[in-house]
Amino acid sequence: MHLHHTKIHCVAIVMALSLLGCDKVQAPNTTNTSTATNITTNTTAQTNTPTAAPTDWKAAEKQRVQNDVDNITQSMISRKPERMVEYLHPRIFELLKKSPNDMSQLLKQAGVRMNKRGITFESAEYISAPYFLESEHSQFVIVPMKRVFNMPDKKLEQQGYLFGQRQKGTEKWGYIDGKHLNDNNIRNLFPDFPPGELLPSSTENSVKKQ
């Protein structure tokens, strides 16, 4: 396999896991879900926010996308990887050459490992409303988010975004965690991503527990 495609293949594995929080976290016991189920909205926007396309469809799609993100979060909490996989972008399956069932098993195994390490999902919060871009054939959405995870010795805060794409004329969005996307590899995955648009930044901070 060519080195370029090998790198994309490796990134695809990590993106498939991190979309669902499974590269670092595992959902908590369902008896402690009151905090995690509350996805709140913060009106503070991230830097490097691309200019959203002025279209008529984006208002209706905002609610659809937020429902998707809420369902992804609930799937993390309830430990149902088969539901999480429904929201994974098809490009991930193509690059990994894996079926949805294979991906469910991969995520389940990753979740077991994270659970053994005592890592739990605490909360998710919208940093700002989803915003949309489009090309001739595709529509894109960026969902700025903050997610917090509990680890045995520290609390981990990830501030970034989910990236969604769909073909025009279709309803279903597919998502990738923006943590592993940048202004170079985004066009390897989606060649028609609008030229000149910059992706938001992603940060990760940890605070040691007292």
Side-chain angles (χ1 to χ4, degrees):
M1 182 181 291
H2 192 278
L3 178 61
H4 174 71
H5 290 95
T6 302
K7 288 182 178 179
I8 293 180
H9 184 272
C10 293
V11 169
I13 295 175
V14 179
M15 288 192 298
L17 295 176
S18 63
L19 166 63
L20 309 173
C22 290
D23 60 334
K24 288 185 176 295
V25 304
Q26 168 62 18
N29 189 297
T30 53
T31 59
N32 296 315
T33 62
S34 58
T35 302
T37 54
N38 288 326
I39 301 184
T40 57
T41 301
N42 187 320
T43 56
T44 303
Q46 282 183 292
T47 58
N48 293 333
T49 300
T51 303
T55 57
D56 294 332
W57 51 268
K58 66 179 182 178
E61 288 307 308
K62 175 183 174 182
Q63 187 60 56
R64 187 197 303 272
V65 167
Q66 289 182 329
N67 287 342
D68 286 350
V69 174
D70 291 349
N71 288 335
I72 290 171
T73 301
Q74 185 58 45
S75 297
M76 292 171 62
I77 295 166
S78 59
R79 306 185 188 193
K80 293 182 177 179
E82 67 279 2
R83 286 190 59 199
M84 301 178 192
V85 169
E86 294 176 14
Y87 298 94
L88 194 62
H89 197 281
R91 287 289 284 140
I92 300 299
F93 298 107
E94 294 172 11
L95 292 168
L96 295 180
K97 294 181 171 61
K98 289 187 177 294
S99 69
N101 184 64
D102 292 336
M103 190 63 68
S104 292
Q105 294 303 314
L106 180 64
L107 293 171
K108 187 177 294 184
Q109 293 165 10
V112 169
R113 291 194 298 270
M114 296 303 102
N115 191 48
K116 288 180 178 179
R117 292 170 56 191
I119 303 173
T120 57
F121 177 80
E122 180 178 296
S123 64
E125 174 184 326
Y126 293 112
I127 298 173
S128 61
Y131 55 92
F132 300 88
L133 303 165
E134 60 183 323
S135 64
E136 182 179 357
H137 302 291
S138 297
Q139 294 170 334
F140 305 92
V141 62
I142 293 174
V143 189
M145 294 192 70
K146 180 176 73 174
R147 293 180 293 188
V148 179
F149 309 109
N150 268 319
M151 306 177 76
D153 60 339
K154 61 185 177 181
K155 184 171 290 190
L156 183 70
E157 180 182 297
Q158 295 177 344
Q159 184 163 307
Y161 61 98
L162 289 182
F163 178 92
Q165 183 270 352
R166 69 178 185 180
Q167 293 293 313
K168 286 185 174 179
T170 63
E171 291 188 356
K172 184 176 176 59
W173 293 91
Y175 298 92
I176 296 174
D177 194 309
K179 176 180 176 182
H180 303 284
L181 294 175
N182 58 53
D183 295 323
N184 295 318
N185 67 20
I186 184 63
R187 290 177 179 82
N188 292 329
L189 293 166
F190 303 102
D192 63 338
F193 186 71
E197 295 289 355
L198 299 177
L199 293 171
S201 58
S202 296
T203 61
E204 187 172 287
N205 298 308
S206 61
V207 179
K208 285 190 175 295
K209 295 181 178 178
Q210 298 297 325

